[in-house]
Amino acid sequence: MKIDIHTHIMPDRMPNWVQKFGYGEFIHLEHRNCTACMMKGDKLFREVEPNCFDAESRRHDMDDTGVSTQVLSTIPVLFNYWAKPQDGLETSRFFNDHIADTVAKDPQRFIGLGTVPLQDVALAIGEMKRCVRELGMPGIEIGTNINGVNLGDPALLPFFEAADRLGCALFVHPWEMMGEKDIQKYWLPWLVGMPAETTRAICSLIFGGVLEKLPNLRIAFAHGGGSFPYTIGRIEHGYAVRPDLVQIDNTVNPRDYLGRFWVDSLVHDEAAFNLLRGAVGDDRICVGSDYPFPLGEHVPGELVERLVSDEAARNKMLFKNARHWLGLTTAS
């Protein structure tokens, strides 16, 4: 069995919200002959293959790569945190209904995560409750910041408290990377910005006291936790030598949080994977591929299957840890 916790999906049809709302850069999909184009207004954002929206194409790829189940989440560019709150709620509900419908048609192969309009915490909590209680979703995907606001900001704490009460798992994915407008050349926002952005989110949740206040919150981070596992020495050193700047809201050593959150296995490198395994432990790594995009792992779990020789540890990473994070089973 192999569960891939990091896969993205979008509907094959969606409203042209730019025309409806009269502003912004909402994405819609245009089908042109054999090509599907994600459009921001009237500008091409990205060409995508059918496996980005077609469930049958996904199942074919899953069968080819030995993936039993995909955890589906929206593409981060569709978070729409910048939109007016009610408009963000409308788009979130549209994507959530689509994911829930995809899962309902094949619950053995797909598990769904929702998206919520975190630019308005009350609306986000309401939609999260709908996702969990009405749509049967075990979790929500969120971005690493909300219009530049760090996840550890006190204004967002009620959202995390509500997720904890609901038993709702959270998957944190980088988006709107720090300084990305200054590093557009060479695809640097994706190569360099994303790992740093995820580290920003982890540090913010630690130093802001969110993980300390909510020790039972089930939260996972994309891309192997970004650069956090590899820069924890520097982060810990800063915590120790500048407590006046770092230990403002939480005095617990950031290293103590290793092993208290989940990460996916998407690090692309043997040495990085071994370091990650030593940092967070065998109980906190899940297969994650970033399917269907080219920066992902083309055979999900290949690194895990090749490098983890112990069968019990390998099975944890291939599927047991994912089920624990999603709240579908207890740790074993």
Side-chain angles (χ1 to χ4, degrees):
M1 187 175 186
K2 190 192 300 184
I3 299 176
D4 185 347
I5 73 165
H6 183 176
T7 80
H8 299 297
I9 194 170
M10 65 186 300
D12 66 341
R13 295 284 188 274
M14 65 181 74
N16 188 323
W17 285 300
V18 173
Q19 294 179 0
K20 179 177 181 179
F21 299 143
Y23 72 96
E25 293 186 327
F26 296 95
I27 296 287
H28 68 279
L29 198 64
E30 292 185 1
H31 297 269
R32 303 174 179 176
N33 298 322
C34 297
T35 302
C37 300
M38 293 177 68
M39 305 296 294
K40 273 189 174 182
D42 59 356
K43 298 178 182 178
L44 176 65
F45 174 71
R46 175 189 291 160
E47 291 185 0
V48 294
E49 301 295 327
N51 57 9
C52 198
F53 50 82
D54 179 65
E56 186 56 39
S57 296
R58 300 176 81 91
R59 281 189 288 266
H60 182 271
D61 291 345
M62 292 164 67
D63 291 342
D64 281 350
T65 57
V67 173
S68 308
T69 304
Q70 285 186 346
V71 179
L72 308 176
S73 57
T74 198
I75 304 169
V77 73
L78 303 177
F79 287 153
N80 295 337
Y81 293 150
W82 48 266
K84 296 175 184 178
Q86 286 292 339
D87 298 340
L89 176 61
E90 179 175 326
T91 64
S92 293
R93 290 175 68 93
F94 184 87
F95 297 132
N96 293 338
D97 289 344
H98 166 257
I99 288 177
D101 181 65
T102 302
V103 171
K105 290 176 178 175
D106 196 348
Q108 299 302 313
R109 305 304 301 271
F110 301 123
I111 296 170
L113 300 181
T115 184
V116 296
L118 263 169
Q119 61 269 51
D120 185 303
V121 170
L123 290 179
I125 291 172
E127 181 60 9
M128 175 169 58
K129 289 179 179 178
R130 188 180 81 95
C131 286
V132 172
R133 294 173 177 172
E134 297 181 25
L135 301 183
M137 293 176 170
I140 295 291
E141 178 194 30
I142 65 173
T144 45
N145 71 85
I146 312 302
N147 299 325
V149 175
N150 285 327
L151 296 185
D153 191 282
L156 295 173
L157 181 60
F159 170 79
F160 292 108
E161 291 174 332
D164 187 46
R165 289 192 300 269
L166 282 167
C168 179
L170 298 177
F171 181 57
V172 181
H173 193 290
W175 89 300
E176 293 291 315
M177 286 72 75
M178 298 175 290
E180 69 172 286
K181 293 181 180 179
D182 301 323
I183 56 171
Q184 286 296 309
K185 194 174 182 180
Y186 306 125
W187 213 27
L188 291 181
W190 276 258
L191 302 182
V192 177
M194 279 192 165
E197 183 64 29
T198 301
T199 305
R200 167 194 186 180
I202 296 173
C203 285
S204 177
L205 288 166
I206 290 174
F207 293 136
V210 176
L211 298 187
E212 189 63 23
K213 293 182 180 78
L214 303 171
N216 297 318
L217 186 67
R218 301 194 314 278
I219 189 165
F221 297 90
H223 310 141
S227 54
F228 183 82
Y230 321 102
T231 54
I232 181 59
R234 180 180 179 85
I235 293 166
E236 181 185 41
H237 184 70
Y239 157 89
V241 300
R242 291 304 306 265
D244 57 317
L245 298 177
V246 179
Q247 298 183 38
I248 300 170
D249 299 312
N250 181 18
T251 60
V252 178
N253 189 328
R255 188 179 293 273
D256 291 354
Y257 293 90
L258 289 170
R260 288 177 56 176
F261 53 80
W262 285 260
V263 297
D264 70 22
S265 59
L266 187 55
V267 295
H268 299 290
D269 181 83
E270 291 188 9
F273 178 82
N274 289 330
L275 191 153
L276 178 65
R277 188 180 180 189
V280 304
D282 291 351
D283 293 337
R284 290 295 183 265
I285 299 174
C286 307
V287 168
S289 71
D290 209 358
Y291 176 96
F293 298 119
L295 198 52
E297 187 177 35
H298 295 167
V299 178
E302 187 274 334
L303 209 57
V304 170
E305 292 173 309
R306 179 158 51 88
L307 297 180
V308 182
S309 58
D310 179 76
E311 182 179 7
R314 187 168 61 249
N315 284 339
K316 285 181 179 181
M317 297 181 202
L318 291 179
F319 68 94
K320 290 186 177 181
N321 293 343
R323 292 182 59 81
H324 182 205
W325 165 60
L326 291 167
L328 303 178
T329 185
T330 57
S332 60

